Amino acid sequence: MEMCWWSECFHRLAAFTRTRNPVIRMYDRIFQSVLMLTVLFACSITSVERTLAQSTWSPTRPPSTGNLVTPEKLQVDARRPVSNQASAAATLGGHKETREAVTLAGYSDSYVDDPTYASSPGCNCPECNPISHLGCTIPGCGCGTVLRGRGVWVGADYLLWSLQGMDLPPLVTSSPAGTLPANTGVLGLSTTRTLLSGTTDEDYRSGGRIRAGIWTDASRLVSWEGSYLALEKAGEQFSFSSNTTPNLAIPIFDTLLGAEAAVLIAQSSFLTGSIDVSTATELQAFEIVRRGRWCSDGYFNFDLLLGYKHGSLDDMLRVNQASRYSVAQGPIQAGTNITREDSFETENNFNGFLIGLERKHRWNGWMIGYTGKVSLGANQSRVVIDGRTRTTIPSGSSSTFAGGVLAQTTNIGAFQQDDFMFLPEFDFTLKRQLNDCTRIHCGYSVMYWSSAVRASDTISRRVSQLPPEPISGTAEPRFSWRDSGFLAHGFQFGLDYKF
């Protein structure tokens, strides 16, 4: 079978992407494994269906002439009763051209992947039931004579996706008992142990996607489609306490000293305390697409996708600490409580133009689809940083100051920028037609943001003062724009229904 030339272009593009893009290359083996298992499963099911079909019924198909529609094919099968021919003509109304095209009983090989033609409701032959569109040679069957026309479809998917974690700087350190307060939690010392840093977990989370579309032509080759995707807002929470770790600290770089230092949370000789670090990430996406048939060879189809894409990626990182002085330290009385809060939130809103290609292969009620899309546009990033310090003395009076440890008056505020980015996506889908209206499917999807601002990107460990101290020295921490790539991928299971 001769493939359309776009098939070769698609394969070359996919090979180039795998060798040039490090993110896609990293998951290439996963895709190959999923594809191999899926194909083996589908082939096994198909073999069983064909064996059962041949054991109960074995038609004699006329010699196939390939995918060319010859004059002989454009004739009504003499074996079909006249009543069936009249019924087909009545169904098609006055559309002469369509009426000639659909009267191909027994020769429907040319329309293996044409969704316009369906089996008659009363046809139960193994090859065209439920909806394999292969036709049959039983006189009076009526296969391939029902024009579907315009219509709508809806679908819903359950998603099980993993989102790329944040790359956290060192946020919590500890030291063994007996360590001097000046050395507690200071990075670079052999006695210091880092309790929290690096990439957060990328556990799978649940989500959903709803889809709907409408065909704009009777052949169902052109359509408008829309979809909305959302994953649950989830993250991690880390808690450390002096009950289990006597010495705790937040490591910083003191710009006045030009060296590593630490802000004490707990010190076994005079200070007890705890610290909680929480993160959360939320992903949503929406798109409207115009789909049109690009080329087809009867078994393989290529659809061109053009449309609009919106994506939303939100991050949150909070650091809350509480300390209590058990022994007086200079002017600080015993029983004094100090709480500090640092908050970092980011929002990424992408809007762009979408272009893509989808390749579909159908056989015997099964369909394998590969979809590649890329969206080009602007990503509007917004960052909100906030912090505060609250001091309560034994008498009960308290004072609140702006700024914590990593979020101070030098970097507190709201910041916004627009940046160009691209958002490529890849989908692999295996579908099974249950009847003329219902189809189930499963698959694997990958989405990549080339430039996104994460909450961890907004943190600076360079500190020149601590509240309530006035701004001094280098006036840090300061906010600066940093971005990074973001990867989302996972499995999908869904149901489609056509009206």
Side-chain angles (χ1 to χ4, degrees):
M1 181 183 302
E2 183 179 357
M3 301 293 295
C4 61
W5 64 275
W6 273 99
S7 176
E8 181 66 21
C9 295
F10 185 83
H11 283 300
R12 292 186 179 182
L13 178 61
F16 174 82
T17 303
R18 286 195 300 268
T19 56
R20 299 289 183 182
N21 192 317
V23 177
I24 302 301
R25 187 173 63 247
M26 182 173 59
Y27 288 91
D28 182 51
R29 292 186 177 180
I30 298 178
F31 295 150
Q32 292 178 2
S33 301
V34 173
L35 176 61
M36 182 179 298
L37 293 175
T38 303
V39 171
L40 290 175
F41 172 75
C43 291
S44 301
I45 296 298
T46 303
S47 300
V48 172
E49 289 180 342
R50 289 181 175 176
T51 302
L52 295 175
Q54 292 175 358
S55 64
T56 57
W57 178 80
S58 180
T60 303
R61 179 181 297 278
S64 174
T65 57
N67 293 321
L68 297 176
V69 180
T70 63
E72 291 76 15
K73 286 187 177 182
L74 295 177
Q75 295 178 0
V76 179
D77 193 338
R79 294 168 297 178
R80 184 181 301 279
V82 177
S83 59
N84 285 346
Q85 299 176 24
S87 175
T91 303
L92 299 173
H95 300 282
K96 179 179 179 181
E97 296 82 359
T98 310
R99 181 168 61 251
E100 293 178 351
V102 298
T103 53
L104 301 176
Y107 295 95
S108 58
D109 289 30
S110 300
Y111 297 92
V112 168
D113 193 46
D114 191 343
T116 306
Y117 306 100
S119 304
S120 294
C123 176
N124 292 314
C125 61
E127 291 191 63
C128 60
N129 184 32
I131 191 167
S132 59
H133 303 305
L134 295 178
C136 68
T137 57
I138 296 180
C141 174
C143 296
T145 61
V146 179
L147 181 65
R148 294 192 173 188
R150 298 175 178 83
V152 299
W153 61 267
V154 295
D157 300 339
Y158 168 74
L159 306 180
L160 189 61
W161 281 28
S162 172
L163 304 184
Q164 183 174 338
M166 302 183 200
D167 190 10
L168 301 178
L171 292 179
V172 183
T173 54
S174 68
S175 297
T179 304
L180 295 176
N183 295 332
T184 298
V186 177
L187 293 177
L189 299 181
S190 59
T191 56
T192 298
R193 176 189 173 195
T194 301
L195 300 180
L196 180 59
S197 69
T199 304
T200 57
D201 286 343
E202 302 175 355
D203 294 337
Y204 282 91
R205 65 186 69 189
S206 296
R209 175 166 48 196
I210 55 176
R211 296 169 287 106
I214 179 171
W215 288 282
T216 58
D217 66 331
S219 299
R220 294 192 173 183
L221 302 179
V222 180
S223 67
W224 282 100
E225 303 174 5
S227 67
Y228 170 75
L229 173 154
L231 297 174
E232 64 176 329
K233 185 175 183 178
E236 293 185 276
Q237 183 162 347
F238 308 90
S239 298
F240 306 94
S241 172
S242 58
N243 293 332
T244 55
T245 309
N247 295 332
L248 290 171
I250 298 178
I252 62 172
F253 183 87
D254 192 326
T255 59
L256 297 181
L257 299 176
E260 291 287 345
V263 177
L264 295 178
I265 302 170
Q267 223 289 331
S268 56
S269 59
F270 64 89
L271 188 66
T272 61
S274 62
I275 182 170
D276 296 321
V277 179
S278 58
T279 66
T281 302
E282 183 178 18
L283 176 65
Q284 301 180 70
F286 171 78
E287 66 181 39
I288 298 178
V289 173
R290 174 75 165 177
R291 176 190 297 271
R293 180 63 48 84
W294 186 263
C295 68
S296 174
D297 65 0
Y299 292 91
F300 293 90
N301 290 338
F302 271 96
D303 290 348
L304 177 64
L305 310 175
L306 299 173
Y308 161 79
K309 180 79 173 186
H310 171 77
S312 175
L313 173 63
D314 299 338
D315 264 353
M316 180 274 293
L317 171 63
R318 290 194 176 97
V319 181
N320 298 323
Q321 68 168 97
S323 301
R324 178 182 177 85
Y325 284 85
S326 56
V327 178
Q329 296 291 305
I332 303 178
Q333 305 176 37
T336 299
N337 294 304
I338 296 179
T339 60
R340 295 187 177 97
E341 300 176 7
D342 296 324
S343 174
F344 304 87
E345 297 182 2
T346 62
E347 299 176 2
N348 296 272
N349 290 293
F350 170 80
N351 294 280
F353 171 75
L354 181 151
I355 183 172
L357 280 176
E358 180 178 30
R359 174 179 176 175
K360 295 181 292 185
H361 176 208
R362 299 173 183 261
W363 85 102
N364 198 25
W366 291 91
M367 188 191 80
I368 290 183
Y370 311 87
T371 305
K373 298 181 290 186
V374 61
S375 301
L376 306 174
N379 180 37
Q380 183 181 82
S381 302
R382 186 170 185 267
V383 177
V384 178
I385 301 177
D386 194 15
R388 62 183 56 84
T389 298
R390 184 181 180 87
T391 302
T392 304
I393 61 177
S395 63
S397 62
S398 62
S399 302
T400 302
F401 309 93
V405 177
L406 302 175
Q408 299 192 30
T409 54
T410 54
N411 64 340
I412 285 177
F415 311 88
Q416 183 173 305
Q417 76 165 4
D418 294 329
D419 193 15
F420 174 82
M421 65 163 278
F422 64 93
L423 196 159
E425 300 174 76
F426 175 79
D427 295 299
F428 166 76
T429 308
L430 174 67
K431 301 182 179 181
R432 174 62 177 173
Q433 199 78 36
L434 301 181
N435 52 50
D436 281 358
C437 299
T438 310
R439 181 170 60 191
I440 58 174
H441 62 85
C442 63
Y444 194 85
S445 300
V446 175
M447 175 190 295
Y448 179 72
W449 294 54
S450 65
S451 176
V453 179
R454 309 295 304 275
S456 57
D457 296 332
T458 64
I459 297 177
S460 172
R461 293 180 52 248
R462 297 175 60 87
V463 176
S464 59
Q465 67 284 315
L466 290 174
E469 299 173 353
I471 297 176
S472 60
T474 58
E476 295 184 82
R478 297 176 185 169
F479 171 75
S480 61
W481 286 102
R482 291 184 298 169
D483 55 47
S484 57
F486 172 77
L487 179 67
H489 60 97
F491 299 92
Q492 58 197 27
F493 310 90
L495 175 72
D496 296 334
Y497 188 83
K498 302 177 183 180
F499 295 92

